[in-house]
Amino acid sequence: MQSSITNVSPARVLVTGAGHSIGLGIAKHFLSLGAQVTLHTRESNIEGVIEGVIEGVEQRAHFFSGDLTVEADAERVINSAAAAMSGLDAVVANVGGLLQRVAIEDMTTDHWQRVMNVNVTSTMLTMKHALPYLKQSEAGAIVTLASLASHNGGGPGASAYAAAKAAVIGLTKAAAKEFAAYSIRVNAVAPGFIGSTRFHDTFSSAQSQQNMIANTALRRAGTTHDVAQLVAFLVSPAASFITGETVDINGGQWFR
């Protein structure tokens, strides 16, 4: 896998939402493969992320913050990433979140729009502003982050999140069609229960987490490294004939 990733002259990867959890795990994995990696965070906690990432790879890790639901910020972050790495070969659009559990009968349009913005608008703006750079790559690729919730509606109060992640899948398929003319591949990854993440630490009780494991065929939580390895495969030459797909990674949680 390492030779496949670094064969992209050299691999230059932007990971959005890389301040913690799945995004940080993906960024660390690409760094371990020898790629140049730009880590984006919404918060300006760059120093905290740097401390946990750059030891031994200082010359290959770059950091920028901004709100990717705002077009000016998205354009600035992506332009800065491309400048720091002299281009882009792969983009992982990982920004997203549940924000709050709210039942439909209690839903405000403000909550609905904020969830759509953080999950869908951020992904679209990332694609839009990365496209000019990916066109210049020998093997451009985008991976978006969907969710098991996009298939099954999610848990209680997750309707807006489930709808947003379903929209990410639709956007991924549309972008795959549009970008194929430039030999840019676009795929989605849909994780199930990934343990030790801010998402589940915030929104899932200990009992709920145990229930999810019990309802997973492999009887364990997924790890951020599990997701990172899949993402690395999807942007590698080994996946050169895969585009427009959503790859579920849930240990069999989907079919139980």
Side-chain angles (χ1 to χ4, degrees):
M1 181 67 74
Q2 180 169 353
S3 60
S4 295
I5 295 294
T6 55
N7 277 346
V8 186
S9 305
R12 299 161 296 184
V13 183
L14 166 64
V15 183
T16 70
H20 59 86
S21 304
I22 289 175
L24 182 56
I26 291 169
K28 286 182 175 180
H29 186 56
F30 275 115
L31 286 167
S32 77
L33 295 174
Q36 285 196 75
V37 181
T38 293
L39 294 85
H40 155 267
T41 64
R42 176 169 179 166
E43 305 87 0
S44 56
N45 64 336
I46 303 297
E47 292 79 6
V49 176
I50 290 174
E51 290 175 3
V53 172
I54 68 167
E55 185 176 357
V57 294
E58 291 88 344
Q59 303 307 311
R60 292 190 286 107
H62 314 275
F63 302 84
F64 298 100
S65 62
D67 181 352
L68 298 190
T69 69
V70 176
E71 185 155 14
D73 269 21
E75 184 174 18
R76 174 184 55 78
V77 167
I78 292 164
N79 288 346
S80 298
M85 299 186 294
S86 300
L88 287 174
D89 298 307
V91 173
V92 183
N94 175 65
V95 169
L98 177 64
L99 302 187
Q100 182 182 355
R101 292 194 182 277
V102 180
I104 292 173
E105 64 178 339
D106 299 320
M107 188 83 65
T108 64
T109 55
D110 176 68
H111 173 77
W112 174 267
Q113 195 59 61
R114 286 193 300 119
V115 175
M116 290 297 159
N117 281 342
V118 75
N119 290 282
V120 188
T121 304
S122 69
T123 301
M124 180 277 291
L125 290 174
T126 298
M127 290 177 172
K128 174 183 176 179
H129 291 288
L131 181 59
Y133 299 106
L134 293 173
K135 286 180 179 179
Q136 300 171 34
S137 172
E138 295 179 5
I142 298 172
V143 175
T144 64
L145 266 290
S147 170
L148 175 63
S150 63
H151 299 308
N152 69 6
S159 57
Y161 177 74
K165 288 304 188 181
V168 167
I169 290 176
L171 177 61
T172 299
K173 291 181 180 295
K177 290 181 177 181
E178 289 188 20
F179 298 175
Y182 313 112
S183 299
I184 297 167
R185 297 179 301 102
V186 190
N187 292 290
V189 169
F193 176 48
I194 307 300
S196 301
T197 57
R198 182 183 294 180
F199 182 102
H200 286 294
D201 287 347
T202 302
F203 297 110
S204 303
S205 68
Q207 184 59 56
S208 176
Q209 294 186 37
Q210 288 302 312
N211 291 343
M212 284 187 280
I213 291 172
N215 285 306
T216 298
L218 294 181
R219 300 303 174 115
R220 71 169 176 88
T223 68
T224 58
H225 189 60
D226 290 328
V227 180
Q229 291 183 100
L230 174 57
V231 171
F233 166 72
L234 287 173
V235 305
S236 76
S240 64
F241 201 53
I242 302 174
T243 195
E245 296 298 327
T246 300
V247 183
D248 294 312
I249 178 166
N250 55 44
Q253 190 178 4
W254 170 234
F255 60 74
R256 281 182 60 84

